[in-house]
């Protein structure tokens, strides 16, 4: 009986506290102020500084510092430092021999990037190039780079990246090659080696604008012929006319020397 009374009393006390709490929260009194009030103070200067450590303690800490052991790298986690020299198989040797013959017999070797060209387009391109004496060669990039590594054409190695083909000819025919490539937009010229000279794509375009050797030889022969004809016509004239021409030439040379000597003397003074 006593226990039941205590229990009812505690429950009644708990309900009263809950009701009081709800009333305070839901129905605040007029002019009610919180019991605690936060006051913001200004920043205060730090007056406590860390004291410097004694030199003996610093030495002791340095000597007793924990040094973790080096991590043991499991074998095979990193590639070995020693380079494995891979011997060329017989097929690679044959391809390198053919490539050497191509570089020796050709004066123009162009490297072209093949961007998704199908078999039909490649056949048409081969036919157009064969009309000008230009041949299309296919070699794996691994074989080409292995050959160029030990040759005088080693600077051409960066051109052989990705799907590439080679346009070779026994004589430099840059103009014909460029005109044929304009009809094949999927083929992009990367560079070329013409007469043992490495050229970029723009360099090949500039080279194609130069006159041919036959035209230059004709201009040279015509110029020499004109000079010899003038000399022959002058020698056939009267000696008095020749002496007058020579005297006039001497006067012109002396006058030029005097005009050039005047400014030099003025500079010296």
């Amino acid at each position: 009986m006593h226990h039941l009374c205590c229990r009812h009393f505690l429950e009644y006390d708990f309900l009263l506290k809950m009701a009081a709490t709800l009333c305070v929260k839901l129905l605040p009194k007029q002019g009610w102020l919180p019991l605690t009030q936060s006051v913001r103070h200004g920043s205060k200067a730090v007056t406590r500084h860390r004291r410097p450590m004694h030199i003996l303690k610093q030495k002791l800490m340095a000597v007793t510092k924990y040094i973790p052991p080096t991590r043991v790298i499991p074998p095979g986690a990193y590639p070995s430092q020693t380079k494995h020299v891979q011997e060329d198989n017989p097929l690679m040797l044959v391809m390198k021999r053919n490539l050497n013959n191509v570089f020796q017999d050709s004066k123009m070797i162009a490297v072209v990037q093949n961007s998704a060209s199908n078999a039909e387009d490649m056949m048409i391109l081969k036919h157009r190039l064969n009309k000008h004496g230009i041949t299309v060669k296919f070699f794996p990039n691994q074989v080409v780079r292995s050959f160029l590594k030990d040759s005088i054409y080693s600077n051409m190695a960066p051109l052989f990246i990705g799907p590439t083909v080679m346009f070779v000819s026994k004589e430099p025919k840059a103009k014909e090659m460029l005109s044929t490539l304009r009809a094949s937009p999927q083929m992009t010229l990367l560079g070329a080696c013409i007469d043992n000279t490495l050229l970029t794509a723009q360099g090949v375009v500039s080279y194609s604008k130069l006159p041919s050797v036959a035209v230059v030889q004709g201009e040279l022969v015509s110029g020499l012929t004109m000079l010899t004809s003038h000399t022959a016509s002058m020698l056939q004239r009267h000696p008095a006319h020749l002496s007058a021409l020579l005297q006039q030439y001497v006067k012109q040379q002396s006058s030029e020397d005097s005009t050039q000597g005047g400014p030099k003397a003025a500079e010296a003074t």
Side-chain angles (χ1 to χ4, degrees):
M1 189 69 180
H2 178 69
H3 291 292
L4 290 174
C5 292
C6 291
R7 183 178 179 184
H8 288 302
F9 179 78
L10 292 174
E11 290 178 356
Y12 181 74
D13 186 37
F14 177 75
L15 291 174
L16 287 177
K17 290 182 179 179
M18 289 292 294
T21 304
L22 290 174
C23 290
V24 170
K25 289 185 177 180
L26 297 176
L27 301 172
K29 297 180 181 180
Q30 294 293 332
W32 177 84
L33 294 175
L35 298 178
T36 59
Q37 201 169 11
S38 60
V39 180
R40 184 176 178 182
H41 298 279
S43 61
K44 296 181 179 180
V46 179
T47 56
R48 297 187 61 184
H49 299 281
R50 191 173 180 179
R51 297 179 62 183
M53 191 182 299
H54 196 268
I55 184 64
L56 295 178
K57 189 174 181 180
Q58 291 182 10
K59 292 181 179 180
L60 183 62
M61 294 292 289
V63 171
T64 58
K65 185 179 179 180
Y66 173 72
I67 301 176
T70 57
R71 287 186 62 184
V72 179
I73 301 174
Y78 295 97
S80 59
Q81 298 294 333
T82 58
K83 296 182 179 180
H84 298 284
V85 180
Q86 185 179 2
E87 296 182 357
D88 297 336
N89 52 26
L91 177 60
M92 187 175 289
L93 293 175
V94 172
M95 296 176 74
K96 288 173 70 173
R97 193 179 303 115
N98 295 337
L99 193 60
N100 187 23
N101 296 334
V102 168
F103 273 82
Q104 287 182 353
D105 299 338
S106 304
K107 289 186 177 181
M108 186 187 75
I109 303 168
V111 184
V112 183
Q113 186 178 14
N114 183 10
S115 302
S117 177
N118 53 28
E120 184 179 359
D121 294 339
M122 186 60 66
M123 189 66 66
I124 295 172
L125 181 62
K126 284 183 179 181
H127 179 67
R128 290 176 179 173
L129 291 173
N130 284 330
K131 291 181 180 179
H132 304 291
I134 303 174
T135 311
V136 181
K137 297 289 185 180
F138 296 91
F139 289 98
N141 290 341
Q142 182 181 0
V143 178
V144 177
R145 285 197 291 265
S146 178
F147 167 75
L148 295 176
K149 181 176 60 176
D150 301 326
S151 66
I152 60 174
Y153 308 99
S154 58
N155 291 334
M156 291 184 66
L159 298 177
F160 292 92
I161 297 176
T164 54
V165 295
M166 295 171 58
F167 294 169
V168 299
S169 62
K170 293 185 178 180
E171 295 296 331
K173 297 184 178 181
K175 187 179 297 183
E176 293 83 354
M177 180 186 66
L178 292 175
S179 62
T180 307
L181 283 176
R182 289 192 189 99
S184 301
Q186 65 273 15
M187 307 295 288
T188 306
L189 180 65
L190 300 178
C193 180
I194 301 177
D195 290 331
N196 294 331
T197 303
L198 183 61
L199 300 175
T200 60
Q202 186 62 37
V204 175
V205 175
S206 302
Y207 180 86
S208 65
K209 296 178 181 178
L210 296 176
S212 61
V213 179
V215 174
V216 175
Q217 288 177 352
E219 292 178 354
L220 180 61
V221 170
S222 63
L224 294 175
T225 305
M226 188 180 296
L227 290 174
T228 53
S229 64
H230 282 306
T231 305
S233 62
M234 287 179 63
L235 292 175
Q236 289 176 2
R237 294 186 179 184
H238 196 272
H241 181 69
L242 291 176
S243 62
L245 291 176
L246 290 174
Q247 290 176 2
Q248 185 179 359
Y249 176 74
V250 170
K251 289 180 181 179
Q252 289 179 354
Q253 291 294 113
S254 61
S255 62
E256 289 178 359
D257 293 340
S258 61
T259 54
Q260 291 179 359
K264 290 182 179 179
E267 290 178 0
T269 55

